Amino acid sequence: MNIPIKTAFLILAALSAPAIARESGTYFYHKNWEVACDNTLTCRTLGFERDREMDSSVLLTRQAGRDTVPTGEVMLEKNDLRDDSTVNKLTIWINGKSAGDLTAAENGVWRLSQPQTLALISAVKGNGNVEFKGGESSFTLSNDGAYATMLKVDDVQGRIGTPGAWTKTGDKPESSVAKAIFQPVIQAAKVSQAQPRILSKSEVAALRPRLLATLNEDMDCERMTYPGQENINGEIDKDEFTLTPLDDHHALISTLCWSGAYNEGHGYWIIDKQLKGDPVAVTNAGYKYQDGVISSYFMVSSMGNSATEEQWVWEGKAFPKSRSVLWRSRSEDGGWEMPLLVTEVKTAK
């Protein structure tokens, strides 16, 4: 079972929402529905089953631009498949009448046809009843929050008052709808293959004040600020800083900033290889650095089915953020990937 969306997002917001709001798209939730619109204005709206005892869900995706048609997909919560049974057929029922079978796709996903998707949207944003029946995996889609999230999509994509709006339709021309925004392009730079090293105590003593000077409300590092404090397990983490060469002139400093029950965040700073200048903060939520990419992965629940993932790519002078994704209903087979930031990363030359 997933933890409530509100609780999940509040946990996420405490660590990375300021960066998401500043650099990426739009996230909004209301009751049993949520929406993530990325920086190209593609919006993905996710609705869960009515009682939320399980995480069976429907994902509606709509690209920006005039006359775009939404797509619909369904994923059954793994625990719905009792006795290791397999669902061979899944049928959508709207207001007590069958609207046809769905098409099985990969990784446990079922696809709705265009007429089924439009009929689902029409029903669920009001008082209609939408059910999916497939043996013991049947569930009823929640209406609670559907209209609010669809209104957010119309707002982000500039559809309010147009014939193609999901909610507040009107006679404004479709030409007034916002056009899709091209993905930013990041040219990755080659990175050094030199091995990282642990900084000496004297190097850390000289560097720590400058690292502390980079901290603010969006970039804190509790373990560096208060070394020697016990972590959540009652242990004292090593006061250790690593230097990783990036190229002939730049290096990457990293250290553990915070740790929790099933997450930890490392701080990353760019600095000159001689450690003479002022460090530039990248993130305090990093998970690892590899081949020019800093990655972050934050599990919102101990089950791992709700998470956020971010990446930053070295382009020669800085680490611009290249990816920001919310994961929902994640399992070994996949899950819903709801991007907030997408970019085109060109391979280092």
Side-chain angles (χ1 to χ4, degrees):
M1 177 180 172
N2 216 346
I3 65 176
I5 294 299
K6 181 176 181 180
T7 303
F9 187 69
L10 288 176
I11 296 172
L12 169 63
L15 292 168
S16 55
I20 288 175
R22 183 173 59 251
E23 300 176 33
S24 306
T26 299
Y27 176 85
F28 174 79
Y29 64 86
H30 186 60
K31 297 183 179 179
N32 287 335
W33 283 73
E34 59 182 304
V35 58
C37 298
D38 64 32
N39 53 310
T40 71
L41 300 185
T42 292
C43 293
R44 295 166 178 86
T45 310
L46 185 62
F48 290 90
E49 61 180 288
R50 182 173 293 172
D51 57 17
R52 290 306 302 274
E53 287 300 319
M54 298 295 181
D55 274 341
S56 295
S57 53
V58 172
L59 181 71
L60 304 173
T61 302
R62 192 173 196 182
Q63 295 181 335
R66 60 182 299 171
D67 302 320
T68 57
V69 178
T71 60
E73 299 171 290
V74 175
M75 186 181 296
L76 302 175
E77 214 280 336
K78 290 298 179 181
N79 291 333
D80 282 354
L81 309 181
R82 302 170 189 170
D83 301 326
D84 295 324
S85 61
T86 300
V87 176
N88 295 315
K89 186 174 76 169
L90 189 64
T91 305
I92 180 173
W93 289 69
I94 298 179
N95 296 326
K97 296 181 180 180
S98 173
D101 297 339
L102 280 66
T103 301
E106 297 178 348
N107 300 324
V109 173
W110 295 79
R111 291 200 178 100
L112 293 155
S113 67
Q114 181 179 331
Q116 288 171 335
T117 301
L118 296 177
L120 180 151
I121 292 170
S122 179
V124 78
K125 69 183 180 182
N127 297 318
N129 188 68
V130 178
E131 298 176 88
F132 294 91
K133 297 182 179 182
E136 296 185 8
S137 294
S138 302
F139 75 95
T140 301
L141 184 62
S142 176
N143 299 65
D144 295 338
Y147 184 90
T149 54
M150 291 180 187
L151 177 61
K152 175 58 69 174
V153 173
D154 286 340
D155 180 39
V156 170
Q157 297 186 339
R159 298 186 191 277
I160 293 177
T162 67
W166 279 351
T167 55
K168 299 179 179 180
T169 59
D171 56 6
K172 289 175 60 177
E174 282 290 314
S175 58
S176 65
V177 173
K179 295 180 181 179
I181 299 172
F182 289 108
Q183 294 184 28
V185 177
I186 298 175
Q187 176 61 64
K190 285 187 177 180
V191 293
S192 171
Q193 298 302 309
Q195 293 299 305
R197 68 176 180 86
I198 304 299
L199 294 182
S200 67
K201 290 184 178 180
S202 60
E203 288 175 319
V204 171
L207 187 59
R208 189 189 300 270
R210 283 176 284 156
L211 294 176
L212 290 172
T214 68
L215 304 183
N216 53 49
E217 61 180 11
D218 291 347
M219 174 75 185
D220 60 9
C221 189
E222 184 173 301
R223 198 207 55 79
M224 181 176 68
T225 306
Y226 307 104
Q229 283 194 342
E230 292 184 352
N231 60 28
I232 193 171
N233 298 314
E235 303 168 344
I236 297 177
D237 296 309
K238 291 183 179 180
D239 188 29
E240 195 169 82
F241 293 74
T242 301
L243 181 148
T244 303
L246 292 171
D247 55 30
D248 292 340
H249 305 287
H250 302 90
L252 190 65
I253 301 295
S254 61
T255 190
L256 179 66
C257 280
W258 54 267
S259 61
Y262 37 84
N263 291 292
E264 64 181 29
H266 292 253
Y268 288 89
W269 293 263
I270 305 165
I271 195 168
D272 61 282
K273 288 184 69 174
Q274 290 74 35
L275 305 181
K276 300 292 186 182
D278 293 328
V280 177
V282 180
T283 180
N284 66 341
Y287 173 69
K288 67 177 181 180
Y289 166 82
Q290 185 175 358
D291 298 330
V293 179
I294 297 172
S295 300
S296 169
Y297 191 84
F298 178 79
M299 292 194 301
V300 179
S301 71
S302 58
M303 296 173 63
N305 57 357
S306 186
T308 176
E309 179 184 0
E310 296 177 296
Q311 290 183 340
W312 297 260
V313 175
W314 177 244
E315 48 80 77
K317 294 182 179 180
F319 275 94
K321 186 179 289 187
S322 59
R323 174 177 168 85
S324 181
V325 173
L326 302 176
W327 285 99
R328 296 290 183 256
S329 303
R330 192 164 196 183
S331 68
E332 294 180 357
D333 295 329
W336 296 132
E337 185 175 340
M338 303 177 69
L340 289 166
L341 174 69
V342 293
T343 64
E344 178 188 353
V345 178
K346 294 189 174 182
T347 304
K349 299 178 180 178

